[in-house]
Amino acid sequence: KLRQIGFQVIERQNATKSQMEKAVADFGEALNAGAIGLFYYAGHGLQVSGRNFLVPVDAQITSEQRVRLETVDVDVVLDQMEAAKSGVNLVILDACRNNPFERRFRAAGGGLAQINAPQGTLIAYATAPGKVAADGEGANGLYTSRLLQHIGTPGVAVEEVFKRVRIDVSRDTNADQTPWESSSLVG
């Protein structure tokens, strides 16, 4: 869908940590001042000590201390966008799943932690901070399936797109899941 609406796409599926890190670096290098940067992640994510981590397929997380070594910190993506000075940045995280390690981790919480969006950035979550998102029944999670319905709507502001997604997901889950955004967009 992103290609259809004009984005240059760097796609990785079932990526290892090394592949994820290279894709994030390639993403940062493809951005430039004034660009619209969009980072989309669907998969397992977890929070530890208020920080969000994306889990690659080869992660061997045996303890809380290994999380930073085995995963990709969402802050690394934000750093790439900041360094590129892209004008508008969107980070979409459909990664609010149950943390399978939550019982063993002291500082882990359910779902993802809220990130305060740097200026010019909108961070969209499949559900509210600390909550867990539904997987859905098709190829995509519920959040992503609703995002796909709205993201290509011509003439609609990005905030309105995410509002429409939030309304649909909340309705579809009887308000058990409410998508969330943190925004400081200025463009």
Side-chain angles (χ1 to χ4, degrees), residues 12 27 40 45 58 63 80 84 91 95 101 114 129 134 149 187:
R12 300 294 180 271
F27 171 68
Y40 168 83
D58 62 344
S63 68
Q80 294 293 315
V91 176
F101 314 105
Q114 181 175 342
Q149 289 176 343

Side-chain angles (χ1 to χ4, degrees), residues 32-37 85-89 119-121 185-187:
N32 55 53
I36 297 173
K85 299 190 183 336
S86 46
V88 174
N89 297 305
Q119 185 173 358
T121 304
L185 286 179
V186 293

Side-chain angles (χ1 to χ4, degrees), residues 47 50-52 112-117 123 125 128-130 180-183:
Q47 68 161 298
R51 295 181 63 175
N52 294 318
L112 295 178
Q114 181 175 342
I115 303 169
N116 292 324
I123 303 171
Y125 304 88
W180 191 270
E181 296 88 40
S182 173
S183 176

Side-chain angles (χ1 to χ4, degrees), residues 87-143:
V88 174
N89 297 305
L90 307 171
V91 176
I92 303 170
L93 302 173
D94 188 358
C96 303
R97 306 289 193 256
N98 279 328
N99 176 355
F101 314 105
E102 193 169 348
R103 289 184 180 172
R104 291 186 283 171
F105 292 4
R106 292 183 329 270
L112 295 178
Q114 181 175 342
I115 303 169
N116 292 324
Q119 185 173 358
T121 304
L122 181 141
I123 303 171
Y125 304 88
T127 193
K131 302 292 183 183
V132 178
D135 280 329
E137 297 179 11
N140 298 302
L142 176 61
Y143 176 77

Side-chain angles (χ1 to χ4, degrees), residues 53-175:
F53 299 91
L54 309 177
V55 182
V57 296
D58 62 344
Q60 298 293 316
I61 301 173
T62 56
S63 68
E64 187 175 326
Q65 293 74 25
R66 290 188 68 104
V67 170
R68 290 180 61 195
L69 300 170
E70 296 284 336
T71 63
V72 176
D73 190 329
V74 173
D75 286 346
V76 172
V77 175
L78 295 171
D79 291 347
Q80 294 293 315
M81 292 171 152
E82 184 178 353
K85 299 190 183 336
S86 46
V88 174
N89 297 305
L90 307 171
V91 176
I92 303 170
L93 302 173
D94 188 358
C96 303
R97 306 289 193 256
N98 279 328
N99 176 355
F101 314 105
E102 193 169 348
R103 289 184 180 172
R104 291 186 283 171
F105 292 4
R106 292 183 329 270
L112 295 178
Q114 181 175 342
I115 303 169
N116 292 324
Q119 185 173 358
T121 304
L122 181 141
I123 303 171
Y125 304 88
T127 193
K131 302 292 183 183
V132 178
D135 280 329
E137 297 179 11
N140 298 302
L142 176 61
Y143 176 77
T144 294
S145 67
R146 297 304 174 260
L147 181 62
L148 287 169
Q149 289 176 343
H150 296 289
I151 198 167
T153 307
V156 176
V158 68
E159 295 91 347
E160 180 63 24
V161 168
F162 287 106
K163 182 178 180 182
R164 291 176 182 187
V165 171
R166 183 171 40 258
I167 289 168
D168 287 355
V169 171
S170 182
R171 180 196 63 231
D172 293 348
T173 63
N174 294 315

